[in-house]
Amino acid sequence: MTEKLFENDAYLWECEAVVTACEPCKNGFAVELDKTVFFPEGGGQLSDRGKLGEAAVTHVAEEGGRILHFCDKPLAVGSTVKAVVDGVVRLDHMQQHCGEHILSYAAWELFGANNIGFHMSEGLVTIDLDKELTPDELAQTEDFANREIWLDKPISVSYVPHTALDNYTMRKKNTRLTGTLRLVSVEGGDICTCCGTHPNRTGAVGSIRIISAEKHKQGQRISFLCGRWALEDARRKNAALRKTGQMLSVKTEQVPDAVQRLKGEIAELNARLKEKTMALYDAQLPQFLSTARVLPDGSRFVVVTPEDTGAAEAKLLLQKVTAMENLLVGIVYEAGGRVNYMFGHSDGVNADCREYCKKANEIFNGRGGGKPDFAQGSGSSTEDWQQKAHTLLM
Ligand SMILES: [Zn+2]
């Protein structure tokens, strides 16, 4: 049985320990110690990383009552090793986990919302609430939680029998737990049964930032970051926003307005481009139609291979041709290093576009399909893609 030093002192990140077992496993060696400062993944908190002597510890897990340190090198059973936890990683996890308690408490205390799920992964933490909070309520929750941090309240760990839980006002009472329970308490604030490593004072969490909130089942999933992770995130986003402002030659606060303006300009240019393209197609239409082949049912089949065409323009051309009477059309164009094709026909034409698409698939070694009145696909491009396209008429 490994003595869990991390349970009583979350700031003890080094110790001397004796190796009691070392077994080869999938990605290295599973090492057991007589005592450890390494927190094994659990209760929503991620595993510690660090070193055991010269061996790197990549993960720690509690399996069947044993704490296993997964290492890249074997260690001699009976030897004494120096166990060193990566303090940056540990403090990150302590900040996120403690922040999770504080934020959950704020949502419960202010709006009676219960935390029913907690998930921590590298760089992102989420809690699930059993009710949805409005943006204003979320801001109030965030403010309240940060104030708990700025007041730098003491945090204590205590051990109580499960029968004593009724003596505490707690947001989350797990009635399935029995025996001696570990309570993590913020003075004048949150009390919660928890196995994680927490700082001694709330101030160590630094800050809490809600990143997003989205509807989840009957309630809400809130993504947030604390401490160093919150700082890193803000720094990254600030840099992105500053760069965007420089590209648009506006101050960062003016970026949304500038983007809105740009979107308007693009929409206007697209409308003008569409108009010009339609006029160009109108002018080219007689030439396209002159190459049409008459099908057995009397309808005409035309293959058009416009240059410098994108999917949106090809679609416009297809609509233009199929709006005319008695036509089946194949539009073949090159874009993004591929030959793309689409087939459609006028109302009343008795042709199956999928058959023509299949033929194009064969010609261009491509893939695609659709419905009897519309089919599309794409294949490999070659120098002579336009000549190949016209073999569709044969
Ligand atoms: Zn906890």
Side-chain angles (χ1 to χ4, degrees), residues 5-6 26 32 39 49 84 226 253 260-261 299 340 360:
L5 299 177
F6 55 83
K26 200 176 166 205
E32 231 180 323
F39 178 79
R49 301 197 291 266
V84 184
C226 305
E253 294 84 348
Q260 194 60 48
R261 222 167 27 243
S299 58
N340 307 275

Side-chain angles (χ1 to χ4, degrees), residues 232-384:
E232 292 273 316
D233 182 68
R235 189 178 282 157
R236 216 170 29 245
K237 286 175 179 163
N238 193 44
L241 200 57
R242 213 171 43 232
K243 194 172 171 189
T244 311
Q246 281 164 358
M247 288 164 77
L248 296 166
S249 302
V250 297
K251 290 180 182 160
T252 49
E253 294 84 348
Q254 296 164 337
V255 164
D257 286 344
V259 170
Q260 194 60 48
R261 222 167 27 243
L262 216 55
K263 282 182 78 176
E265 281 171 27
I266 291 169
E268 205 183 305
L269 286 173
N270 276 338
R272 280 176 58 194
L273 180 65
K274 185 177 167 183
E275 217 172 88
K276 301 263 184 211
T277 307
M278 291 304 253
L280 180 69
Y281 289 155
D282 275 338
Q284 291 177 336
L285 215 50
Q287 187 207 333
F288 292 157
L289 295 176
S290 68
T291 62
R293 178 166 71 91
V294 178
L295 296 176
D297 70 347
S299 58
R300 288 175 302 155
F301 176 35
V302 61
V303 172
V304 186
T305 56
E307 300 270 4
D308 295 328
T309 297
E313 293 145 310
K315 199 82 193 252
L316 277 178
L317 182 56
L318 184 104
Q319 281 165 4
K320 189 172 259 303
V321 179
T322 54
M324 298 167 72
E325 277 189 14
N326 230 10
L327 276 164
L328 166 70
V329 61
I331 315 280
V332 185
Y333 62 100
E334 195 188 31
R338 305 269 296 165
V339 169
N340 307 275
Y341 34 88
M342 55 177 77
F343 299 88
H345 60 66
S346 324
D347 282 347
V349 169
N350 187 25
D352 190 340
C353 291
R354 292 174 299 187
E355 282 175 26
Y356 293 88
C357 190
K358 200 174 153 195
K359 205 168 161 189
N361 289 340
E362 282 164 18
I363 294 170
F364 295 108
N365 192 21
R367 289 181 69 173
K371 292 177 178 171
D373 62 347
F374 179 75
Q376 61 183 338
S378 70
S380 325
S381 183
T382 52
E383 285 272 302
D384 57 346

